[in-house]
Amino acid sequence: MATPAAPASASAATPAPAAAPAAAPPSVPVPSPTPASAPAPSPAPAPVPAPTPAPASSSDAAAAAATTAAPGQTSASAPAPAQTPAQSLPGPALPGPFPGGRVVRLHPVILASIVDSYERRNEGAARVIGTLLGTVDKHSVEVTNCFSVPHNESEDEVAVDMEFAKNMYELHKKVSPNELILGWYATGHDITEHSVLIHEYYSREAPNPIHLTVDTSLQNGRMSIKAYVSTLMGVPGRTMGVMFTPLTVKYAYYDTERIGVDLIMKTCFSPNRVIGLSSDLQQVGGASARIQDALSTVLQYAEDVLSGKVSADNTVGRFLMSLVNQVPKIVPDDFETMLNSNINDLLMVTYLANLTQSQIALNEKLVNL
Amino acid sequence: MASRKEGTGSAAASSSSTTGPAGKGKSKGGSGDSAVKQVQIDGLVVLKIIKHYQEEGQGTEVVQGVLLGLVVEDRLEITNCFPFPQHTEDDADFDEVQYQMEMMRSLRHVNIDHLHVGWYQSTYYGSFVTRALLDSQFSYQHAIEESVVLIYDPIKTAQGSLSLKAYRLTPKLMEVCKEKDFSPEALKKGNITFEHMFEEVPIVIKNSHLINVLMWELEKKSAVADKHELLSLASSNHLGKNLQLLMDRVDEMSQDIVKYNTYMRNTSKQQQQKHQYQQRRQQENMQRQSRGEPPLPEEDLSKLFKPPQPPARMDSLLIAGQINTYCQNIKEFTAQNLGKLFMAQALQEYNN
């Protein structure tokens, strides 16, 4: 069983290379207004508005967005023949079963990573970007890991260290060989022109990459998390533009993850954002307190219904009924015996554990004589 | 954010001479005071460890990884971590050290603390007190004074509450390991009992403000139903497995004791034999003297009677430590269950 290599050499070595950092990342600067990429490309201003109910099929969205002037303004210039559906185009980057309504399932660890790398960004950088890793399913894409990629962005050009991205991906692959590059993320509120370019880089790595934005600047007082897929749009036969279509974002949790998140969430309530791990009985106490809260909410609802403040809802009523019936009706004597035997088991086990502990302590003493 | 950068800078500078903040601990002249009083973990690290086990660690394999962070006074802050690949058959061409170096170099590019501060490991029902763990932790602690090993128990976590513990070797044990002398005399001299092998360091979890915002956001958006596994009464399986492991260990322990007993018996038998030999010698010498002959030379007793090998003590110490951990776990578990049973009783009484 391998254990992480002793850091003796590692710790001595790491400060040394600190002095001699790697040469400037081999990046690919590209002058920004590439005529090829767009007639007034997608996103000078806002990202595609989330509430548009349409994670419809990409072609529809293309058509729809072109027609709906108002909130989207995704393609300000779409002079177009909105009606021409994009399907007729020989779209180069539309492989794979990508019906609209594709769902992106995120794990909380991704978001925490993104926020953390945002907090550690270089001076002067407005946002950070990175790669998303995960698995692809028929109907959904599950993002399970991510790492940030250094990049430089200025008014005119954007440079992304793709070499770094490849290296990191190789390293990650050693640990989890099932993860594929799914796309990339960026912090920040808008999709900018540079995003289009970066998206293009990533489409070389993955078929139809997804783009995730996490709004760390907390516009509108919320940290909005959105995902997009790029689609072609525009007049067929002319220069094609790129538009970002929104996808539904769902949050996936493993059971243990949810428990972890619940615990971590408690730091929101403590003054210096620090919490300790609680002991056994405290946890039971905490869990029962939660159930108590839930029960009091339910009770409040029941009272409101009875006093006529809230109209009765049959489905809720049925749930309440099943809730009350879940407490099993056991003959009291039987229950007594069950309870007692269980308690006896537990007490016996405790006694044996204590006995064992005193035995080994005794053994220590004897051996050391 | 600027302060974090400072932290990284100074940590990098001081890591070359590990006596930086650790000097405080050492300079106390081995008073037994440990250099680390508290471990502060970022929420991100917790999530990463959970995810790593969930995805790569099904079954009884342990998953391991490296912890990164920095040391602030007597607090060890863990700010990031990365997993270590499992050892597979084709590990001939896999270089662990190289993987680690590459990873840390890359992480440095994105401003993540790249100072190695410890490692983490998952455990199966709490069975982590092994020789391998001892060795690794010793090499870590030898190189980096403040390193800890985080033990994550996924099965206990799945039962309702996060089970994460940080351990270090006690200074006494460090001394012994340094000498590489595990003979009984050395251990007795160091006065090491199984309770003083590992010390547990309290853990706190800390999040930055932005992560708190994220948590609120998640809570609003995801609203996953609470499953309340913590209050489930159906846990006899867990208890059964724990007891099984405990029994195995106790068996090993008893074997060890048997070995020790035989050793003691052999030594005492030998003593007797020596004694008898000496007496015979003396008698013969007296007889010879009475007859006027020169006495027989005293022979070297130690060459005649080779003392038996004392059994290795380290293993039995480890077993005792492991048994101790199991017992602790079981006691915690039964305490919880008793509480739950009493609650169930209250509910039933009300029903009737």
Side-chain angles (χ1 to χ4, degrees):
Chain A
M1 175 171 68
T3 48
S9 49
S11 62
T14 26
S27 48
V28 190
V30 177
S32 113
T34 355
S37 73
S42 23
V48 180
T52 0
S57 74
S58 37
S59 55
D60 282 348
T67 43
T68 40
Q73 353 68 320
T74 41
S75 56
S77 72
Q83 313 314 349
T84 29
Q87 293 144 332
S88 54
L89 303 167
L94 280 179
F98 238 32
R102 189 147 146 161
V103 171
V104 175
R105 290 151 55 92
L106 286 184
H107 281 260
V109 64
I110 310 276
L111 300 169
S113 274
I114 298 180
V115 169
D116 182 67
S117 32
Y118 175 74
E119 286 176 346
R120 291 168 180 277
R121 65 194 185 287
N122 287 319
E123 300 281 352
R127 62 180 193 164
V128 288
I129 66 168
T131 313
L132 294 171
L133 305 172
T135 49
V136 181
D137 200 2
K138 227 178 13 161
H139 303 293
S140 66
V141 163
E142 188 152 347
V143 184
T144 48
N145 206 347
C146 68
F147 56 83
S148 74
V149 172
H151 84 302
N152 291 318
E153 199 168 306
S154 65
E155 278 297 324
D156 304 331
E157 61 173 30
V158 66
V160 175
D161 190 355
M162 289 312 277
E163 188 67 34
F164 178 92
K166 274 201 200 52
N167 270 342
M168 277 296 255
Y169 177 52
E170 290 302 314
L171 289 176
H172 275 265
K173 240 178 128 85
K174 292 209 178 109
V175 179
S176 357
N178 297 330
E179 290 185 341
L180 312 162
I181 296 188
L182 289 181
W184 63 294
Y185 69 81
T187 59
H189 182 62
D190 292 338
I191 300 189
T192 64
E193 305 162 348
H194 303 312
S195 305
V196 181
L197 297 166
I198 305 181
H199 203 81
E200 246 180 278
Y201 295 155
Y202 274 95
S203 36
R204 292 185 217 141
E205 306 282 333
N208 223 333
I210 55 176
H211 172 44
L212 184 73
T213 52
V214 176
D215 182 13
T216 42
S217 50
L218 302 177
Q219 295 223 357
N220 310 327
R222 299 284 299 269
M223 181 188 276
S224 46
I225 302 170
K226 305 203 189 107
Y228 305 94
V229 148
S230 82
T231 50
L232 295 173
M233 60 133 195
V235 185
R238 305 257 194 102
T239 45
M240 298 301 305
V242 166
M243 183 185 65
F244 284 95
T245 334
L247 300 171
T248 352
V249 172
K250 287 220 171 82
Y251 298 96
Y253 289 79
Y254 300 125
D255 285 340
T256 37
E257 264 185 339
R258 191 171 38 78
I259 295 175
V261 168
D262 279 343
L263 182 69
I264 296 174
M265 217 181 299
K266 296 213 181 94
T267 60
C268 300
F269 304 112
S270 118
N272 53 349
R273 299 166 285 128
V274 167
I275 51 161
L277 299 183
S278 47
S279 81
D280 35 343
L281 220 47
Q282 278 176 346
Q283 292 159 2
V284 178
S288 13
R290 278 205 293 275
I291 287 205
Q292 245 187 340
D293 285 341
L295 282 177
S296 48
T297 323
V298 167
L299 268 178
Q300 186 62 42
Y301 171 79
E303 303 228 339
D304 285 344
V305 170
L306 280 179
S307 62
K309 268 194 268 176
V310 177
S311 62
D313 185 357
N314 277 342
T315 31
V316 179
R318 274 185 227 118
F319 278 130
L320 287 179
M321 189 74 187
S322 57
L323 175 71
V324 172
N325 281 342
Q326 270 196 338
V327 178
K329 284 200 171 45
I330 313 180
V331 177
D333 286 335
D334 285 351
F335 183 74
E336 275 294 314
T337 26
M338 277 196 281
L339 186 72
N340 283 336
S341 61
N342 263 339
I343 293 188
N344 279 339
D345 284 343
L346 291 175
L347 287 177
M348 176 183 75
V349 169
T350 318
Y351 172 70
L352 284 176
N354 279 332
L355 196 64
T356 321
Q357 273 184 318
S358 35
Q359 275 277 27
I360 45 180
L362 209 60
N363 188 39
E364 281 295 317
K365 291 278 183 285
L366 285 177
V367 167
N368 278 340
L369 276 178
Chain B
M1 190 205 66
S3 62
R4 269 187 201 261
K5 263 189 153 179
E6 262 175 77
T8 330
S10 66
S14 68
S15 65
S16 47
S17 60
T18 48
T19 54
K24 253 206 317 193
K26 270 190 183 148
S27 64
K28 283 189 185 152
S31 65
D33 216 359
S34 209
V36 175
K37 294 259 168 33
Q38 198 188 59
V39 171
Q40 181 180 291
I41 307 186
D42 264 15
L44 173 65
V45 175
V46 174
L47 287 176
K48 272 186 149 177
I49 295 181
I50 294 180
K51 168 205 176 283
H52 183 210
Y53 177 78
Q54 191 71 33
E55 293 194 342
E56 309 296 332
Q58 302 302 340
T60 53
E61 296 246 343
V62 291
V63 296
Q64 297 166 336
V66 168
L67 298 171
L68 307 163
L70 56 148
V71 179
V72 174
E73 296 162 350
D74 61 356
R75 214 174 48 219
L76 179 66
E77 294 194 9
I78 301 182
T79 51
N80 215 322
C81 68
F82 62 85
F84 231 70
Q86 308 255 30
H87 240 215
T88 49
E89 303 82 48
D90 48 295
D91 55 356
D93 51 354
F94 176 67
D95 191 358
E96 289 183 358
V97 179
Q98 201 211 6
Y99 172 83
Q100 227 172 292
M101 296 295 297
E102 285 237 17
M103 207 48 162
M104 310 229 295
R105 215 176 300 147
S106 315
L107 290 176
R108 191 162 37 92
H109 276 288
V110 288
N111 292 336
I112 294 183
D113 294 328
H114 58 281
L115 180 60
H116 223 145
V117 292
W119 58 300
Y120 68 84
Q121 181 180 300
S122 73
T123 168
Y124 179 69
Y125 281 111
S127 53
F128 57 86
V129 182
T130 59
R131 193 53 188 272
L133 186 114
L134 192 71
D135 288 338
S136 320
Q137 182 56 17
F138 169 66
S139 51
Y140 261 81
Q141 236 172 287
H142 190 61
I144 302 171
E145 171 91 13
E146 309 87 359
S147 76
V148 298
V149 54
L150 272 187
I151 302 287
Y152 165 66
D153 189 345
I155 300 174
K156 196 142 180 252
T157 307
Q159 288 207 328
S161 62
L162 182 66
S163 152
L164 200 62
K165 297 209 164 107
Y167 289 102
R168 288 166 51 78
L169 299 182
T170 48
K172 286 195 271 187
L173 193 59
M174 286 290 290
E175 286 299 325
V176 172
C177 287
K178 245 183 261 188
E179 316 288 326
K180 292 223 191 320
D181 178 16
F182 294 118
S183 65
E185 293 82 31
L187 288 175
K188 212 190 293 189
K189 202 171 31 138
N191 201 11
I192 296 184
T193 64
F194 64 87
E195 283 167 353
H196 296 140
M197 288 207 307
F198 291 99
E199 56 179 11
E200 185 175 339
V201 187
I203 296 183
V204 290
I205 298 190
K206 175 157 181 172
N207 277 332
S208 66
H209 290 292
L210 209 50
I211 300 244
N212 275 353
V213 173
L214 176 71
M215 291 293 142
W216 279 115
E217 198 59 43
L218 278 182
E219 178 159 350
K220 276 217 174 97
K221 289 218 181 123
S222 51
V224 180
D226 226 355
K227 276 208 204 136
H228 302 295
E229 304 94 351
L230 189 53
L231 294 176
S232 150
L233 282 174
S235 44
S236 53
N237 207 7
H238 181 91
L239 190 63
K241 284 230 178 69
N242 249 329
L243 283 179
Q244 182 71 39
L245 288 169
L246 183 63
M247 286 190 326
D248 290 338
R249 278 297 185 282
V250 171
D251 279 341
E252 282 183 26
M253 186 93 196
S254 64
Q255 281 177 349
D256 216 52
I257 293 182
V258 164
K259 261 194 269 174
Y260 185 71
N261 277 340
T262 21
Y263 162 70
M264 289 306 273
R265 240 179 290 137
N266 283 346
T267 352
S268 64
K269 237 196 302 183
Q270 228 193 31
Q271 291 284 49
Q272 274 193 332
Q273 284 179 336
K274 270 197 220 175
H275 207 62
Q276 281 178 344
Y277 180 79
Q278 266 185 333
Q279 280 196 326
R280 256 187 291 135
R281 262 301 149 101
Q282 277 185 344
Q283 275 188 336
E284 271 202 38
N285 280 345
M286 279 188 1
Q287 281 183 345
R288 286 194 169 208
Q289 270 187 340
S290 64
R291 280 187 282 177
E293 286 168 18
L296 286 172
E298 280 295 317
E299 286 193 11
D300 195 3
L301 286 172
S302 55
K303 280 216 202 90
L304 280 181
F305 299 97
K306 254 172 105 179
Q309 270 284 40
R313 286 275 300 130
M314 199 58 197
D315 286 335
S316 58
L317 258 189
L318 285 172
I319 296 178
Q322 184 62 74
I323 293 184
N324 198 25
T325 325
Y326 282 144
C327 290
Q328 297 283 49
N329 279 351
I330 290 180
K331 284 200 286 196
E332 272 187 23
F333 183 74
T334 50
Q336 278 186 325
N337 264 22
L338 278 174
K340 288 190 248 177
L341 280 177
F342 282 125
M343 283 204 309
Q345 183 190 36
L347 210 55
Q348 275 293 321
E349 276 176 11
Y350 186 73
N351 219 12
N352 298 335

